[in-house]
Amino acid sequence: MKNILCFLFSFLTVASLKAQTEKQLQTILEDNGLPGIQLACTVNGKTTAYNLGTAKAGLKKPVTSATIFRAGSLGKTVFAYAVLRLCDRGVLSLDTPLMRYIGSYNRYDPKDPRYSMITARMVLSHTSGLAEFPDFETGEPVRLLFAPGSGYSYSGEGYWFLQKVVEKITAMPFEQLMQQEVFKPLGMQSSTYVQSNNMDAEVLGPVSPDLAPMLPNAAFSLLTNAHDYNVFLQNLLAGKGLKPATQKLMFSRQTKTPSAADTDKTFNWGLGVGLEQGNKQNLIWHWGKTDDFISLFVANPGKGQSLVFFTRGKALKAADQIVSLFLGRQTALTMRAQHFRYDNPDAMPELFAALRKHGFDDVSKIFNGLARKGKQFSEADLNYYGNVLLKQGKNREALAIFKQQATLFPQSPLAYSRVAAAAENLGGANLALTSYRKALMLDSTNVATINHIKALEKGAPTSTAHLKMFEGKYKRADNGMFLDISAVGNKLVITQSWDGGQLEFFRVDEFDFYNEEPGFTLKFTKDEQGRIWKAFVNDRPLEWVRK
């Protein structure tokens, strides 16, 4: 009986602690405007999983442990592990120039002998000199930023080159190789570099039947979940599948980055992993970003600890809080050298907590109180938080934050334009126009501000009812991809069919709309019956496909 009671007490205590942690994690999501998260963490040999919210804003289906995410650059670490396994078997050498294996490569300038210096070690440590992203459209030779081995520059292009080399010397397609070397041996049943039609199109975006399938790419196309990736990390930390010396080499410093953190020798690269060395801890890590899919892993080889999460949005702002919650403040302090955080990572959580407690009725009083405690806030942090509130539809709260931003940074055109945006959402046309004009006085070249003023002066109707006439599915004439246009609040939202990405457009004139961030334009024309029938994004025609 005593043993049963002890077991029940232990079980209830663990359940209570997990519920408390889950509540804290949910608060972090809300504070940072994240729709949900999938997270797995191993500490002291025990793995805990958390699945909260949805995989994308607007979805009703909740995140589960089976939800597949785009892992982005986290795929680089998995590929690096496979390459090192091949090195252990003598299939290739880290320091043999890769051109000796592949013979020729059509993406390089054959007249430039520097390409023949690139090795697998250089690719895995980002010292190859190759440009960051593979560009398959120009047909121009890939640029070398510096002589291979002489500097550091993060490069997905290098990983694509190494992938092509490995495919040739193994005579095996990339996906088959990764299944054989990594996924099957480690039991990663939900992981792949190739999207298939049976995957969740709501989360990942559909595989378009009108387009050629995306080629698997070691640099960014990994599809996986937190369970699988944490399994990978735990096996990596245990050295499974690698010689002990090879695992040690993977986690050893290969290069220094030209970052501010380099001044105290804390931030370097191993082979396929970033290194955080300092504060009595040596960590490995990598981040991933594909469209708005965000991921991060942190692992402590000395303690066998690992943490990985997947979400959507600007989640790296919340990384400091998440790492602190699961791996402790000491680990979070070590990770701060990456700058995956707010400018003032200790002040922002205190601000969030104070606003939850006291509300937004007297924001200046809250800021004054935090200032007396020595807390400081950057404009970037306040602007980010205000925009989070805007996207959550909390316009009154956003206006309060933006007004405080303008108070603290009175010469900032951005601050006044954000005050105007929140006021406009609240129907305060006079305050919006006054604030936009103030922003324009401080920056007379801002096209978005000019367009906002033009729209307010013309009084173009922006209610959802007025914007309904533009809703529909539009098909791009050149390649068959679709865009869905819908009225949300006082804006039009374009959703891309191929990846689910969204862009917001506000009305400038009767048929003209404008997007602030990339600066895209959206224009409509009518047919002979007076119906909206064609749209132009940056003057590219999109024909409406009627259902």
Side-chain angles (χ1 to χ4, degrees):
M1 184 65 177
K2 181 178 180 181
N3 289 337
I4 294 176
L5 290 174
C6 288
F7 170 79
L8 288 174
F9 177 76
S10 175
F11 176 80
L12 291 173
T13 300
V14 170
S16 176
L17 287 173
K18 183 176 181 181
Q20 181 180 354
T21 302
E22 187 171 292
K23 184 177 180 181
Q24 291 173 286
L25 182 58
Q26 183 64 53
T27 298
I28 292 172
L29 297 182
E30 292 172 1
D31 288 342
N32 290 275
L34 305 177
I37 196 167
Q38 185 189 71
L39 182 149
C41 179
T42 299
V43 176
N44 297 326
K46 179 177 176 56
T47 299
T48 310
Y50 293 84
N51 301 288
L52 302 177
T54 63
K56 185 171 67 173
L59 288 186
K60 294 181 179 179
K61 184 165 48 180
V63 170
T64 70
S65 59
T67 303
I68 301 297
F69 285 83
R70 297 191 184 277
S73 290
L74 264 62
K76 290 184 173 75
T77 303
V78 179
F79 177 56
Y81 171 81
V83 170
L84 292 175
R85 280 174 53 80
L86 296 177
C87 290
D88 276 349
R89 299 203 300 273
V91 177
L92 80 161
S93 166
L94 281 174
D95 297 310
T96 297
L98 294 174
M99 290 297 288
R100 294 186 188 176
Y101 294 110
I102 201 169
S104 63
Y105 189 57
N106 60 7
R107 291 176 60 74
Y108 292 167
D109 182 353
K111 298 178 182 179
D112 190 337
R114 295 179 300 167
Y115 294 101
S116 64
M117 300 167 57
I118 298 171
T119 66
R121 186 189 301 271
M122 292 176 190
V123 169
L124 298 180
S125 61
H126 298 289
T127 58
S128 69
L130 294 167
E132 180 174 357
F133 297 111
D135 187 343
F136 301 107
E137 296 182 358
T138 64
E140 297 294 323
V142 175
R143 288 190 306 131
L144 271 175
L145 305 179
F146 48 79
S150 67
Y152 165 87
S153 182
Y154 186 82
S155 176
E157 180 69 56
Y159 272 74
W160 176 252
F161 175 41
L162 182 55
Q163 174 184 330
K164 295 292 104 181
V165 172
V166 168
E167 285 178 324
K168 180 170 183 178
I169 61 179
T170 62
M172 193 177 297
F174 180 66
E175 173 68 12
Q176 182 182 344
L177 174 71
M178 296 307 294
Q179 290 289 343
Q180 175 179 297
E181 293 294 329
V182 187
F183 301 146
K184 290 181 179 177
L186 301 186
M188 300 169 65
Q189 298 179 359
S190 299
S191 298
T192 176
Y193 282 84
V194 181
Q195 184 176 347
S196 61
N197 285 317
N198 62 355
M199 291 182 173
D200 191 337
E202 276 193 309
V203 174
L204 300 174
V207 179
S208 174
D210 300 313
L211 301 175
M214 180 183 291
L215 295 173
N217 193 310
F220 62 78
S221 74
L222 177 63
L223 298 151
T224 188
N225 56 35
H227 169 271
D228 268 23
Y229 206 91
N230 195 57
V231 166
F232 166 72
L233 291 174
Q234 283 296 303
N235 279 284
L236 182 61
L237 296 182
K240 182 175 180 179
L242 296 176
K243 293 179 179 179
T246 303
Q247 184 215 36
K248 182 178 179 180
L249 183 66
M250 186 179 187
F251 300 164
S252 298
R253 177 177 178 175
Q254 304 293 319
T255 184
K256 296 188 297 182
T257 71
S259 70
D262 191 49
T263 58
D264 58 7
K265 305 295 189 295
T266 62
F267 181 50
N268 309 287
W269 279 93
L271 297 174
V273 293
L275 306 178
E276 286 291 344
Q277 300 169 326
N279 291 309
K280 301 180 181 179
Q281 293 195 93
N282 293 323
L283 309 175
I284 62 171
W285 61 273
H286 214 298
W287 79 96
K289 183 180 186 302
T290 300
D291 299 319
D292 67 337
F293 287 85
I294 298 294
S295 53
L296 176 71
F297 84 74
V298 184
N300 188 324
K303 295 182 179 179
Q305 296 178 341
S306 60
L307 166 70
V308 60
F309 67 78
F310 297 93
T311 184
R312 306 284 282 269
K314 295 185 178 180
L316 295 183
K317 288 281 190 182
D320 192 87
Q321 295 167 267
I322 293 172
V323 172
S324 289
L325 180 61
F326 288 94
L327 298 181
R329 180 174 170 77
Q330 184 65 40
T331 301
L333 289 173
T334 306
M335 292 295 292
R336 282 187 180 180
Q338 297 178 60
H339 299 285
F340 287 166
R341 57 181 176 89
Y342 290 101
D343 295 330
N344 301 100
D346 293 321
M348 291 304 290
E350 284 207 37
L351 174 62
F352 298 149
L355 290 169
R356 278 194 299 276
K357 182 178 180 180
H358 300 291
F360 288 77
D361 291 334
D362 195 348
V363 166
S364 61
K365 181 178 180 181
I366 290 174
F367 273 88
N368 290 337
L370 292 172
R372 287 193 294 271
K373 294 171 62 177
K375 302 300 178 184
Q376 296 181 332
F377 298 90
S378 72
E379 180 174 21
D381 286 353
L382 294 183
N383 188 69
Y384 172 76
Y385 181 46
N387 285 326
V388 164
L389 294 169
L390 275 187
K391 289 182 178 180
Q392 292 174 336
K394 299 176 181 178
N395 297 306
R396 183 183 68 84
E397 293 86 345
L399 180 59
I401 295 298
F402 289 136
K403 283 183 175 180
Q404 186 64 32
Q405 180 182 338
T407 298
L408 295 176
F409 305 95
Q411 296 304 310
S412 167
L414 177 63
Y416 292 102
S417 69
R418 302 323 291 158
V419 168
E424 192 172 358
N425 285 353
L426 289 166
N430 290 335
L431 176 58
L433 191 54
T434 300
S435 299
Y436 278 129
R437 286 171 176 164
K438 176 67 173 177
L440 192 63
M441 288 175 60
L442 295 168
D443 180 6
S444 61
T445 64
N446 192 296
V447 176
T449 301
I450 293 170
N451 279 325
H452 275 296
I453 292 173
K454 184 189 300 184
L456 287 166
E457 288 178 340
K458 288 189 174 183
T462 58
S463 70
T464 304
H466 284 109
L467 299 179
K468 285 285 185 182
M469 63 185 291
F470 300 103
E471 289 190 328
K473 181 178 286 187
Y474 295 75
K475 182 178 181 180
R476 221 166 88 174
D478 56 346
N479 61 16
M481 291 190 293
F482 289 93
L483 298 177
D484 283 305
I485 299 181
S486 57
V488 180
N490 62 352
K491 301 179 181 67
L492 289 182
V493 176
I494 281 185
T495 302
Q496 301 168 158
S497 64
W498 55 96
D499 64 359
Q502 292 186 330
L503 290 174
E504 294 182 344
F505 290 82
F506 67 86
R507 197 170 196 169
V508 178
D509 209 338
E510 186 178 6
F511 301 112
D512 295 350
F513 293 76
Y514 183 82
N515 174 276
E516 285 189 350
E517 294 183 9
F520 291 164
T521 59
L522 174 63
K523 298 182 180 182
F524 295 89
T525 59
K526 291 183 177 182
D527 63 12
E528 294 178 355
Q529 286 74 41
R531 298 173 300 174
I532 298 296
W533 76 290
K534 187 175 287 189
F536 300 84
V537 178
N538 285 359
D539 300 323
R540 300 188 70 177
L542 304 169
E543 293 185 3
W544 191 337
V545 177
R546 287 183 168 85
K547 296 181 179 179

